[in-house]
Amino acid sequence: MKQGIRLWVIWIFALVTGIYGTAITYQGITTVHHIDLLYGVPIFLFGVWITGNIWGSARQAYRRQRAKA
């Protein structure tokens, strides 16, 4: 139970990171503050990376559980 809650917290953090990175990247594209692209793109990619790792781990756990049954 505790591990599942921790996984949800990490996943929500990853989603928020992706949204925040998207906002900063959008601001860097649409305004004169192009330096925001240097901050927004890595933050966005970090959120995508964490989310991908969590999805991969969830699929692995599902397959392991399904194989036992």
Side-chain angles (χ1 to χ4, degrees):
M1 178 76 175
K2 186 176 179 181
Q3 185 178 6
I5 292 172
R6 186 174 64 196
L7 187 64
W8 275 100
V9 169
I10 293 171
W11 186 53
I12 290 172
F13 170 73
L15 290 176
V16 169
T17 304
I19 292 168
Y20 182 66
T22 303
I24 293 175
T25 302
Y26 178 76
Q27 184 177 0
I29 292 170
T30 58
T31 64
V32 296
H33 304 291
H34 297 297
I35 194 73
D36 287 341
L37 287 171
L38 293 175
Y39 299 113
V41 172
I43 292 172
F44 170 73
L45 292 177
F46 180 68
V48 169
W49 177 70
I50 292 174
T51 302
N53 283 336
I54 290 174
W55 280 352
S57 297
R59 279 191 0 208
Q60 246 182 3
Y62 175 74
R63 286 181 184 156
R64 264 189 257 128
Q65 181 183 6
R66 204 168 119 203
K68 288 181 183 178

